[in-house]
Amino acid sequence: MKTISTEGAMLQTVTAAIDWYILAPVVIPLVTAAILIIFRRSVGLHPYIALLALAGNIYASFELLMKVKLEGPLAMTMGNWLPPFGITFTADFLGAILTLTSSLAVFCVALYGMGDASSRERRFGFYPLILTLLVGVNGSFLTGDIFNLYVWFEVFVISSFGLIVLGGTRKQLDGAVKYCFLSLIATTLFLIATGYLYGLYGTLNMADLSKIVAPLKFEGPLVVVSGLFLLAFSMKAAAFPLYFWLPASYHTPKIVVSALFAGLLTKVGAYSLLRTFTIILPVAGDSWLMGVMFYVGVGTAICGALGAVAQTDLRRLFSFLLVASIGFMLIGISIGTETALTATIFYMVHSILIMTALFLVAGVIYEHRGSLDLRSLSGMNKDLPFLSLLFLGLGFVAMGFPPFSGFWPKFVLISETIKQEAYVGTFAIIFSSFLSIISLGRAFAFGFWRPLTPNAEDEVAAQAKKLSVYSKLQYLPVLLLMILVTIVGIAPGFLFDLSSMGAKGLVDTSSYIAAVFGGAS
Amino acid sequence: MNTLILRTIVPLLTGLMVIYSIVVLLAGHNDPGGGFIGGLIAASAFALYGIACGVAPVRRALYFHPISIAAFGMLLSALSGVISLYKGVPFLTGLWWFPEIAKGVEVPLSTPLMFDIGVWLVVVGSLVTIALALEEKE
């Protein structure tokens, strides 16, 4: 047998076991999901196994973040190949922070699912599906290869298809069709753009692309590719004018499922935009295309908040607030200075936590009242004082009142728009926040302050009888998230440091490239 | 489809197809073939058996639920990558092992083979699930 010299193609150094933290957020949920499907009949055990794995996942993501904080971006190329030929996983601050946050959010969702997902739904794969969804989301945050990013998109999109039809009522299928149709178009556009990109530059490794594209002018095919990426990711992120699918589908699945979607899925779209227009295509990040994205962001922020004011269904209201929050992120990305990116990353973390919490609190309300319609909800401050307090607190977080986590990124973003003389953005953020105060205030006034309407009394009494032993447990994940956002709000320094380091890594791509190719190149 | 000819020939054919699918699976490392295409052949064998003899005999013959088979394949493939953790090489690196089963007869075993068997199981499991669900509706 002829021996082939692999020196030029393979990594010759030993990979330390500690580097495996970069893969743990993907491998742990994947293996756990497989085990849960194998034992699909013992649904009673599913929540415990899943929660254990998710707790391990949080630990691993935290260790990864700490490692990145100590040593800078971390990379591992699969199969012992050298980049750009092997598929690289690259964890920079941005990826590591978002991985930790999404793992936290999924843990809370799984905890909520203990009381909410029936054994039939568990047999249909509730826990395996939320785990594979986390696999896809974490994979997207950590991958350093743009085609691989597409694959992770597919992983979480397919899991979300499974979750959205869980239960299989007519209304759910209606929402699922809209959701699936738009997801498929968006991912197909993403794939086309990726193919085009490969045709142009012959590589899909993000760090490699960054090196190749950086000295180029923003013209010709690069404009088309960047435009396609902007379109595809904006669709996934639910940006103006392509956000209609989100409020049309997010109120149909199980509440715990919509909490998961609201927390994670749109943020992956926003993350991809952030990644694409900073590290992968830095020239596109300095071009007129950012002007387009800026106005898309302004439109998203304002239309989302306007939509929220008009809703009577609590989940649709939250869906529109989610759209508005995406608008803030787009404004931040399009301004693109280090401060704006810091605020964007901070806001993404805040948004993952608060959106999950808002939808879960809607679930708690549904548990107690059997409805989420603001026209019939009433008098909850009388019999559910703790829930009222929680809702009010979460409302304050979402509106961006100090001392909660929503205040700081908004404050920084507003001051940065003023500094960059992007006054339209300043206006959009303030106006949108103002409208969200109105819509959430209205929800509180109707659902909690308004005395119990006479014909609702029987309904409430009937619903109270149906409460399971788990109904107290439902508060726990919401409370957990509430504590998290409060801590972040009171002591924002920690997250701010991390976000600003993340932003620094996006503005100056050298550390990212060095992590993949080694210090020499 | 309840014809005598089909019912007589299909059990034999199914066995042949499954054996062939395993040949394709094992050939896959150096020649055309592999877990995916082998899995498709095996899945069509079980689907054919279902068409000829009904869904219940197929489920009995498989013993495990097809979805569990697919999940086991997923587990196998994922773990084939994790093995490289102990060798200090990156995820999914191909590792080889040549046990000598008889004098001078070496059997090359590897993590790519384990990965491929996982893929084979995933394809068989998921496609048989779909095929049986469709055949049951009739």
Side-chain angles (χ1 to χ4, degrees):
Chain A
M1 216 170 145
K2 202 172 72 177
T3 48
I4 301 163
S5 164
T6 53
E7 261 171 45
M10 301 293 211
L11 299 169
Q12 303 296 322
T13 49
V14 174
T15 309
I18 191 149
D19 285 351
W20 278 68
Y21 280 120
I22 192 172
L23 271 169
V26 175
V27 173
I28 293 175
L30 183 68
V31 169
T32 316
I35 292 171
L36 290 188
I37 304 172
I38 294 174
F39 300 106
R40 55 197 289 280
R41 279 171 204 281
S42 7
V43 286
L45 283 175
H46 276 196
Y48 303 104
I49 300 174
L51 282 173
L52 195 69
L54 286 167
N57 205 32
I58 291 172
Y59 171 74
S61 322
F62 184 73
E63 284 290 324
L64 175 66
L65 181 61
M66 287 302 111
K67 195 169 158 52
V68 172
K69 190 165 182 251
L70 257 155
E71 299 171 15
L74 192 70
M76 180 193 264
T77 304
M78 303 300 135
N80 212 15
W81 293 97
L82 284 181
F85 304 108
I87 289 172
T88 309
F89 258 44
T90 317
D92 58 350
F93 278 103
L94 173 64
I97 296 167
L98 291 176
T99 307
L100 177 60
T101 319
S102 56
S103 301
L104 281 168
V106 173
F107 181 82
C108 291
V109 166
L111 197 60
Y112 189 90
M114 275 182 89
D116 197 46
S118 67
S119 61
R120 182 170 167 272
E121 282 154 352
R122 284 181 201 171
R123 210 165 38 249
F124 275 112
F126 175 74
Y127 280 101
L129 283 171
I130 61 172
L131 286 168
T132 45
L133 190 120
L134 181 67
V135 171
V137 171
N138 280 348
S140 310
F141 290 151
L142 292 177
T143 187
D145 183 284
I146 197 159
F147 182 74
N148 200 232
L149 179 66
Y150 166 78
V151 175
W152 294 121
F153 261 65
E154 287 293 336
V155 170
F156 75 71
V157 162
I158 288 171
S159 315
S160 68
F161 287 172
L163 282 169
I164 203 169
V165 293
L166 211 65
T169 62
R170 181 180 289 263
K171 204 174 135 208
Q172 280 180 320
L173 290 178
D174 178 56
V177 167
K178 288 169 194 153
Y179 173 76
C180 295
F181 190 66
L182 211 116
S183 288
L184 286 176
I185 292 179
T187 43
T188 308
L189 280 173
F190 178 16
L191 184 61
I192 291 170
T194 309
Y196 206 2
L197 195 67
Y198 186 67
L200 283 173
Y201 304 116
T203 181
L204 292 167
N205 187 298
M206 290 181 186
D208 202 27
L209 277 169
S210 182
K211 277 202 299 192
I212 293 174
V213 177
L216 298 180
K217 278 209 185 76
F218 187 66
E219 58 188 13
L222 190 55
V223 181
V224 180
V225 175
S226 310
L228 275 173
F229 277 128
L230 179 60
L231 183 62
F233 294 142
S234 305
M235 273 170 139
K236 278 308 294 175
F240 174 82
L242 295 164
Y243 63 86
F244 296 99
W245 60 274
L246 191 146
S249 62
Y250 272 27
H251 68 289
T252 57
K254 284 180 68 63
I255 297 179
V256 53
V257 171
S258 53
L260 188 63
F261 286 12
L264 299 181
L265 297 192
T266 48
K267 252 64 83 185
V268 184
Y271 160 82
S272 308
L273 282 172
L274 190 54
R275 183 67 87 203
T276 311
F277 291 107
T278 53
I279 285 193
I280 306 174
L281 304 169
V283 281
D286 300 328
S287 67
W288 52 266
L289 204 63
M290 289 302 103
V292 177
M293 198 205 274
F294 179 72
Y295 284 103
V296 167
V298 168
T300 314
I302 292 177
C303 288
L306 277 175
V309 176
Q311 297 307 315
T312 52
D313 183 287
L314 208 50
R315 262 204 288 178
R316 285 183 69 104
L317 194 160
F318 293 156
S319 302
F320 274 104
L321 287 182
L322 171 62
V323 171
S325 75
I326 293 295
F328 300 158
M329 292 172 206
L330 293 187
I331 292 173
I333 298 169
S334 62
I335 290 174
T337 59
E338 203 178 304
T339 321
L341 292 179
T342 305
T344 308
I345 297 171
F346 196 120
Y347 196 79
M348 273 166 119
V349 173
H350 153 78
S351 177
I352 290 177
L353 298 175
I354 184 62
M355 280 303 158
T356 313
L358 276 179
F359 276 80
L360 289 182
V361 89
V364 178
I365 293 173
Y366 189 81
E367 194 85 352
H368 285 280
R369 284 294 195 265
S371 159
L372 285 176
D373 194 338
L374 287 176
R375 285 168 296 194
S376 63
L377 282 177
S378 53
M380 280 189 283
N381 64 343
K382 279 273 162 9
D383 56 331
L384 302 164
F386 184 64
L387 181 62
S388 319
L389 201 64
L390 209 53
F391 187 89
L392 192 67
L394 288 172
F396 283 171
V397 182
M399 294 167 201
F401 285 173
F404 299 111
S405 66
F407 170 72
W408 304 104
K410 266 186 193 171
F411 174 75
V412 174
L413 200 55
I414 288 172
S415 64
E416 187 64 13
T417 50
I418 294 171
K419 209 153 122 207
Q420 301 295 326
E421 297 177 358
Y423 298 120
V424 184
T426 319
F427 168 75
I429 296 170
I430 293 176
F431 185 58
S432 171
S433 306
F434 179 64
L435 287 176
S436 73
I437 293 173
I438 294 179
S439 59
L440 280 168
R442 200 178 57 109
F444 191 76
F446 274 109
F448 292 85
W449 265 349
R450 183 168 60 160
L452 201 59
T453 46
N455 53 357
E457 272 166 12
D458 304 335
E459 179 87 11
V460 171
Q463 199 64 32
K465 275 189 200 137
K466 274 196 265 174
L467 284 180
S468 64
V469 281
Y470 283 111
S471 66
K472 283 278 185 292
L473 190 76
Q474 311 282 52
Y475 283 105
L476 194 62
V478 186
L479 203 62
L480 217 64
L481 288 167
M482 181 73 205
I483 291 169
L484 269 175
V485 288
T486 314
I487 292 173
V488 170
I490 292 171
F494 179 67
L495 185 55
F496 235 108
D497 286 348
L498 291 176
S499 309
S500 85
M501 280 187 267
K504 225 175 252 152
L506 293 177
V507 174
D508 173 20
T509 55
S510 59
S511 67
Y512 188 89
I513 295 173
V516 176
F517 289 103
S521 49
Chain B
M1 232 188 294
N2 199 12
T3 72
L4 185 62
I5 301 170
L6 200 62
R7 262 186 298 148
T8 315
I9 197 71
V10 156
L12 194 69
L13 211 55
T14 304
L16 270 178
M17 284 169 84
V18 172
I19 291 170
Y20 181 58
S21 91
I22 293 170
V23 171
V24 170
L25 162 71
L26 295 179
H29 193 75
N30 298 316
D31 291 314
F36 189 81
I37 187 73
L40 287 179
I41 296 170
S44 49
F46 293 121
L48 191 63
Y49 192 49
I51 291 171
C53 306
V55 170
V58 182
R59 289 201 194 279
R60 259 206 310 283
L62 283 174
Y63 189 74
F64 295 107
H65 193 280
I67 279 288
S68 299
I69 294 176
F72 183 70
M74 193 160 104
L75 186 67
L76 212 59
S77 291
L79 291 182
S80 79
V82 178
I83 289 175
S84 43
L85 172 63
Y86 298 104
K87 286 274 177 182
V89 285
F91 191 62
L92 284 176
T93 304
L95 298 169
W96 290 81
W97 185 48
F98 300 95
E100 211 178 272
I101 50 165
K103 206 169 161 56
V105 183
E106 277 186 346
V107 181
L109 298 175
S110 65
T111 51
L113 178 69
M114 183 175 162
F115 183 87
D116 238 11
I117 293 172
V119 172
W120 188 86
L121 290 169
V122 169
V123 174
V124 171
S126 45
L127 286 182
V128 168
T129 308
I130 297 169
L132 293 187
L134 289 173
E135 284 167 15
E136 239 160 16
K137 282 274 145 58
E138 281 173 8

